[in-house]
Amino acid sequence: MVSLRALTRPADLAAGDARLPGLALRAVLLAVGIGLAIVEEGGSGLLVVAIALAIGAAWAPQYLLGWGLILCLGLSQLARHDVLGWRLLVLLAGLHLLHVLSLLVLELPWRSWIQPSVLAGPLVRFVAVQLPAQALAIPTLALLAPGGGGHRPVTMAAFAGVGIVALAGLTALLLLPPPADIADAPGARPGSDAGEG
Amino acid sequence: MAVPPPHAAEAAPGRELPRWRRSAGVPAAAVVAVVLAAAGLIAGRVDLALLAVPLVAGVGLSWGRRPDPSAGGSVRLELGTPRGAEVDYVLSLRPPPGVEAVVLRQRLLAGEAREVVVSTAPDGALGGTVPLLHSGPQELVRVEYRYLGADAAAVGSPHEPLVAELVVAPARAEVRALPLPWRLQGLTGSHASARAGDGGDFRDVHRFVPGDRLRRIDWKATARRAGNAGELYVRRTAALADATVLLVLDSRDDVGEQVAEWSRNAAATMGVSSLDVAREAAGSLASAYIRAGDRVGFQDLSSTARMIPHGGGNRHLWRLLRAIETTAPSATPFSRHRPPIVPPGALVYLLSSLLDDQAVRLALTWRGGGHRVVAVDVLPAARLARTNRYQRLAHRVLLMERHDRIGLLQARGVEVLRWPDDGATLPRRVRLQLLSRPSRHGARPAVGRW
């Protein structure tokens, strides 16, 4: 008969190096959100709103407050001149990082333990997007943003038509319902096959 | 804890394709990107439009890498060969292409759930060890899982949980002294009965009657006692007989030694449970009686399906042991209006924690019918660690009621045998020897009864 002395705590799933707590992602999201809020909204009244959104995004990601924070920080640019500077480049990277973290936080359980390799893919894609985005931002701002005297090297009107078409295409691309193959795939019917999971 | 059979258990792989859904963050990011781009266009601010670019690119990149919905993977949960008091398990992950992470929610011994997010590296066989803390049927590992696509933009539906179960055979204690029924009714066996016959020890000297063998004539006794030449005396021996034993296992409740865990009864923390003790006692008694050539039956009070009529032999012993080790508490309250039928002259063992009156009522019914009844107390010694004063008070009240029941049983002639060797009383071996001795108070053993 087993005695109580033989009672051992059940071993964890030996998932090797799953040593990153799910809460750490939320902490990073909170830190990035608050950091960007301070950088962008340093002296304005929107700082409180941005910090509240950051806390909400980390605390209850199911309310999608992370994207509210992105929108808030992005639109706060309207209060500044569109000059090429480090602040805009940081914001460009920060908002993207907020988006990636919000997606992860939304789906990963906060009580879970995460293998660091799980974050390798998102990190690689973040870098892969940021490099061309930053490379695009610098010449674009250099060309389209006004210089010190308020003069724009290239007028915005020249790009307005292209912009409208691009915006319409972007809207259609992002907001259309998912492809039919997702919803009507054979796998969508439960129990349609055996031996597969 | 006995080593369970090596064929143990193997969970079936998941049998359905994952249903994929788009994360709520994808349309949210799309809306934000559109709003930023529109604001930039309306306000003539290229920097706002630039802020939308990584969002669009990120969403497009992650959604474009979503897994193929028609592709299925496989996840397999297997138990290894038990090693002593623990068993290994292996979780083999083979997710469909496009899956970047798997969210696993595992529960060991029906305890607290733990969640792990793992990547889908090709070496992805995960595993661990589960201690075998209890006998009987038990759920060792339960794994639920769902797949995540790139950046968690595509989320798979949760799959049916994979469950690894095992039936662990109870330990078996050696029982040397076997209490016997009041009356042995079998015609052959290993126990000396009160009936005259062959095989047993010397019984008495009796006058020769037709049917007695001539070689049994005791000439010295005849010379001493015979009144005339035709009067002869024979030496008679006792006949051997087998006993009929019925093991009645009260599996309606299963409480552990940790009183603080009685309300939750989690396998990992409850300690040795009353059913662990009951299975060990039932298995040990069944083995000992069958080895002695007796006939043993089994009855589970919470299930009419687990009823085995009395019989003997090795094959019957395996049936008994299988029935005993698969005994589990019933999820529904169970009350008997009529007690199980007991073979005539049988010795009844009632294995119970005696925490309610039903077992006592059954024991008294059998005792009133003339059977010898031994109530085997299987409640393990209580451990009161982490209990509060209310739990201690409730436990004390329960024990007082139980003590009254035991007193009632003993007053009505039901013998009580405490099975756990917890040091509070005599060793179990001695207690069994005491039960096996001839009693001077009416309750006499088979020898000399007739």
Side-chain angles (χ1 to χ4, degrees):
Chain A
M1 178 53 60
V2 175
S3 69
L4 193 64
R5 288 187 296 277
L7 209 159
T8 55
R9 184 181 177 83
D12 273 323
L13 189 67
D17 50 351
R19 57 177 178 267
L20 190 65
L23 272 178
L25 279 182
R26 299 190 177 217
V28 172
L29 173 64
L30 184 65
V32 171
I34 291 179
L36 279 178
I38 291 173
V39 167
E40 292 299 316
E41 317 284 357
S44 72
L46 281 178
L47 177 64
V48 178
V49 177
I51 289 179
L53 285 172
I55 293 173
W59 183 263
Q62 67 271 23
Y63 295 118
L64 308 179
L65 294 179
W67 289 274
L69 176 63
I70 294 173
L71 192 60
C72 174
L73 294 173
L75 292 180
S76 70
Q77 274 297 107
L78 288 171
R80 293 194 186 86
H81 296 295
D82 51 346
V83 294
L84 177 61
W86 66 269
R87 197 187 294 265
L88 182 65
L89 298 181
V90 168
L91 188 63
L92 193 65
L95 294 189
H96 185 203
L97 187 58
L98 278 180
H99 161 69
V100 173
L101 288 173
S102 297
L103 270 179
L104 291 175
V105 163
L106 187 60
E107 299 299 339
L108 300 186
W110 67 272
R111 286 184 303 182
S112 63
W113 289 84
I114 303 169
Q115 275 187 341
S117 56
V118 169
L119 306 178
L123 183 64
V124 167
R125 277 186 293 277
F126 173 77
V127 173
V129 169
Q130 273 301 306
L131 286 179
Q134 299 274 351
L136 174 68
I138 292 172
T140 305
L141 284 170
L143 287 174
L144 294 180
H151 171 68
R152 295 173 186 268
V154 179
T155 59
M156 192 70 183
F159 292 90
V162 178
I164 290 172
V165 173
L167 182 59
L170 176 67
T171 307
L173 178 70
L174 296 180
L175 295 184
L176 279 181
D181 60 344
I182 299 298
D184 302 332
R189 293 190 296 274
S192 60
D193 198 359
E196 300 294 328
Chain B
M1 183 70 59
V3 175
H7 56 269
E10 179 177 320
R15 293 183 181 281
E16 59 181 25
L17 292 174
R19 279 181 290 179
W20 291 96
R21 67 173 171 84
R22 188 174 52 193
S23 169
V26 172
V31 168
V32 169
V34 168
V35 170
L36 286 177
L41 193 61
I42 293 168
R45 296 287 297 266
V46 70
D47 53 344
L48 285 185
L50 281 173
L51 292 178
V53 170
L55 295 182
V56 174
V59 167
L61 202 57
S62 51
W63 184 246
R65 290 173 177 246
R66 66 187 183 277
D68 180 6
S70 63
S74 69
V75 176
R76 197 175 181 81
L77 177 63
E78 291 176 281
L79 287 178
T81 304
R83 296 181 288 108
E86 58 186 22
V87 61
D88 295 330
Y89 66 95
V90 176
L91 183 69
S92 307
L93 295 171
R94 231 179 279 166
V99 170
E100 283 206 350
V102 184
V103 180
L104 298 169
R105 181 183 170 88
Q106 66 145 2
R107 194 184 290 267
L108 299 184
L109 296 171
E112 186 183 354
R114 294 159 189 272
E115 290 173 307
V116 182
V117 184
V118 297
S119 63
T120 54
D123 60 341
L126 310 169
T129 303
V130 193
L132 300 174
L133 302 178
H134 301 280
S135 60
Q138 52 198 286
E139 176 185 305
L140 293 180
V141 188
R142 172 181 288 261
V143 176
E144 300 163 67
Y145 64 99
R146 61 191 172 98
Y147 297 134
L148 295 180
D151 292 336
V155 184
S157 56
H159 287 70
E160 286 293 315
L162 301 177
V163 180
E165 293 174 323
L166 190 64
V167 177
V168 180
R172 259 184 277 167
E174 188 176 5
V175 178
R176 293 186 177 177
L178 292 174
L180 295 174
W182 302 141
R183 301 170 62 173
L184 293 175
Q185 294 189 328
L187 296 178
T188 180
S190 60
H191 308 295
S193 70
R195 184 166 43 87
D198 292 329
D201 295 332
F202 172 72
R203 182 173 184 270
D204 60 2
V205 176
H206 194 266
R207 283 191 65 171
F208 181 89
V209 294
D212 283 340
R213 295 184 179 182
L214 294 178
R215 65 184 177 87
R216 287 192 176 273
I217 296 174
D218 186 342
W219 293 110
K220 290 182 180 176
T222 300
R224 273 198 312 272
R225 297 187 183 185
N228 56 60
E231 191 174 329
L232 298 173
Y233 283 87
V234 294
R235 291 171 63 87
R236 296 198 304 184
T237 56
L240 294 180
D242 56 357
T244 302
V245 177
L246 178 65
L247 301 172
V248 181
L249 202 155
D250 180 6
S251 61
R252 293 171 304 125
D253 54 34
D254 187 18
V255 293
E257 57 186 346
Q258 291 288 354
V259 177
E261 299 292 330
W262 275 16
S263 55
R264 288 188 302 169
N265 239 15
T269 52
M270 69 192 294
V272 176
S273 74
S274 59
L275 266 188
D276 289 339
V277 179
R279 289 190 199 98
E280 177 192 323
S284 305
L285 290 170
S287 303
Y289 278 106
I290 292 285
R291 274 202 306 269
D294 297 322
R295 290 170 296 158
V296 181
F298 176 74
Q299 174 83 48
D300 184 350
L301 275 190
S302 70
S303 167
T304 52
R306 286 192 287 268
M307 193 275 288
I308 298 180
H310 60 279
N314 275 336
R315 290 184 63 179
H316 186 74
L317 176 60
W318 286 115
R319 283 183 66 199
L320 287 171
L321 294 178
R322 182 62 184 168
I324 289 168
E325 71 188 21
T326 55
T327 300
S330 171
T332 56
F334 192 82
S335 180
R336 278 186 174 273
H337 296 292
R338 285 189 296 180
I341 297 173
V342 177
L347 164 62
V348 182
Y349 280 99
L350 175 63
L351 301 104
S352 171
S353 58
L354 300 173
L355 287 175
D356 66 357
D357 289 330
Q358 190 172 156
V360 175
R361 187 173 56 80
L362 293 177
L364 293 180
T365 304
W366 289 319
R367 184 68 191 94
H371 296 281
R372 184 181 186 188
V373 181
V374 177
V376 182
D377 175 16
V378 296
L379 186 70
R383 291 173 184 265
L384 298 173
R386 299 189 303 278
T387 52
N388 56 37
R389 55 188 293 236
Y390 302 108
Q391 289 172 324
R392 285 195 292 275
L393 179 62
H395 177 254
R396 191 174 167 194
V397 171
L398 273 177
L399 285 197
M400 288 166 66
E401 292 176 350
R402 182 173 172 275
H403 185 262
D404 289 346
R405 287 187 200 103
I406 291 175
L408 176 65
L409 287 174
Q410 289 174 325
R412 300 282 181 87
V414 175
E415 294 151 287
V416 178
L417 168 66
R418 177 154 178 78
W419 189 267
D421 260 334
D422 44 21
T425 57
L426 294 169
R428 184 196 309 139
R429 176 180 53 82
V430 178
R431 296 196 294 268
L432 279 166
Q433 281 176 348
L434 289 175
L435 275 181
S436 308
R437 284 195 319 185
S439 170
R440 283 176 289 180
H441 304 291
R444 291 180 298 168
V447 175
R449 174 72 175 169
W450 285 359

